[in-house]
């Protein structure tokens, strides 16, 4: 247990040092809470909140809340529908802040599988983005591949796992269809049976710019299924 918490502290200090060396649009912080809850044997609710900043924590870049429900129609095949609300803060050329709001319904399909003991997930998402100031509507397509790599030996309780993700995002109707590509590499540390702290480095490449994030996240899972009572 002491080793686990020492590792968490070392990783957090490393991210803080990374963030302190930041410059706007190059090094940013990303904080996230994610929960998932089994509603039935086939359906799951996933909800998250997220905060991003241009510095360690205070210079707001983005805040969002999101939730979706998926349903497993076949083994590891899960269509879903959800909604996201975002507050977007960016800097204008005169160094003042510009605030925009976005309402984003979305639909997605997730396909799961394994390569040995490594779990692999493919997520295909369609988003309808309603953005204010100025008003804008964008349909965006996203493809995310995620790998979760166990570091424990087979048969041992999982304590650490690796995280590797890449997501490509494309706009359906625009002169330049490319939106961004996001690469994530990190480490998950189990702090309970159904909870974990995750730390990662995120690189996001857009047309003409690149942003890097130090990521700190907390996730946990619940089981809200009604238990069958044998009479």
């Amino acid at each position: 247990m002491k080793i686990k918490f020492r590792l968490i502290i070392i990783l957090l200090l490393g991210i803080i040092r990374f963030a302190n060396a930041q410059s706007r649009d190059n090094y940013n912080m990303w904080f996230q809470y994610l929960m998932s809850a089994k509603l039935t044997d086939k359906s799951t609710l996933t909800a998250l909140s997220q905060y991003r900043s241009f510095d360690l924590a205070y210079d707001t870049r983005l805040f969002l809340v999101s939730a979706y429900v998926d349903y497993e129609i076949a083994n590891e095949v899960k269509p879903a529908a959800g909604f996201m609300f975002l507050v977007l803060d960016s800097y204008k050329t005169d160094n003042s802040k510009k605030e925009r709001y976005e309402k984003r319904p979305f639909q997605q399909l997730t396909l799961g599988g394994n390569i040995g003991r490594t779990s692999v997930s493919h997520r295909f998402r369609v988003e309808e983005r309603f953005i204010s100031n100025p008003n804008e509507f964008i349909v965006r397509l996203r493809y995310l591949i995620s790998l979760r790599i166990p570091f424990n030996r087979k048969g041992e309780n999982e304590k650490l796992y690796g995280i590797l993700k890449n997501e490509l995002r494309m706009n359906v109707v625009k002169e330049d269809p490319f939106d961004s590509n996001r690469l994530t590499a990190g480490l998950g540390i189990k702090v309970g049976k159904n909870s974990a702290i995750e730390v990662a480095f995120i690189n996001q490449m857009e047309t003409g710019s690149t942003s890097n994030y130090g990521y700190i996240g907390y996730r946990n899972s619940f089981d809200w299924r009604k238990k069958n009572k044998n009479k």
Side-chain angles (χ1 to χ4, degrees), residues 66-83:
S66 175
Y68 65 87
V69 175
D70 62 44
Y71 187 84
E72 188 173 31
I73 58 174
N75 185 40
E76 298 287 354
V77 180
K78 300 177 181 179
F83 185 83

Side-chain angles (χ1 to χ4, degrees), residues 45-132:
L45 167 68
T46 300
L48 67 87
S49 60
Q50 189 180 109
Y51 175 78
R52 302 182 207 169
S53 62
F54 287 103
D55 57 7
L56 183 59
Y58 301 106
D59 192 0
T60 302
R61 180 171 184 150
L62 177 149
F63 174 76
L64 71 82
V65 290
S66 175
Y68 65 87
V69 175
D70 62 44
Y71 187 84
E72 188 173 31
I73 58 174
N75 185 40
E76 298 287 354
V77 180
K78 300 177 181 179
F83 185 83
M84 187 181 299
F85 175 77
L86 305 91
V87 181
L88 311 166
D89 284 287
S90 60
Y91 279 95
K92 297 187 290 186
T93 54
D94 62 1
N95 212 37
S96 63
K97 275 291 193 72
K98 177 181 180 179
E99 188 171 78
R100 308 181 75 187
Y101 297 93
E102 180 177 343
K103 299 173 183 177
R104 186 189 299 178
F106 60 88
Q107 306 78 44
Q108 68 183 39
L109 175 67
T110 303
L111 308 176
N114 293 279
I115 300 176
R117 294 175 57 232
T118 297
S119 60
V120 183
S121 173
H122 304 269
R123 189 187 72 189
F124 304 87
R125 178 179 285 186
V126 181
E127 301 175 324
E128 297 80 37
R129 306 179 63 195
F130 298 87
I131 309 172
S132 68

Side-chain angles (χ1 to χ4, degrees), residues 13-22 27-29 201 212-214:
L13 288 175
I15 284 182
I16 290 171
R17 183 178 178 183
F18 161 85
N20 285 335
Q22 61 83 37
Y27 298 100
N28 314 267
M29 286 301 296
F201 170 77
N212 297 304
Y213 295 88

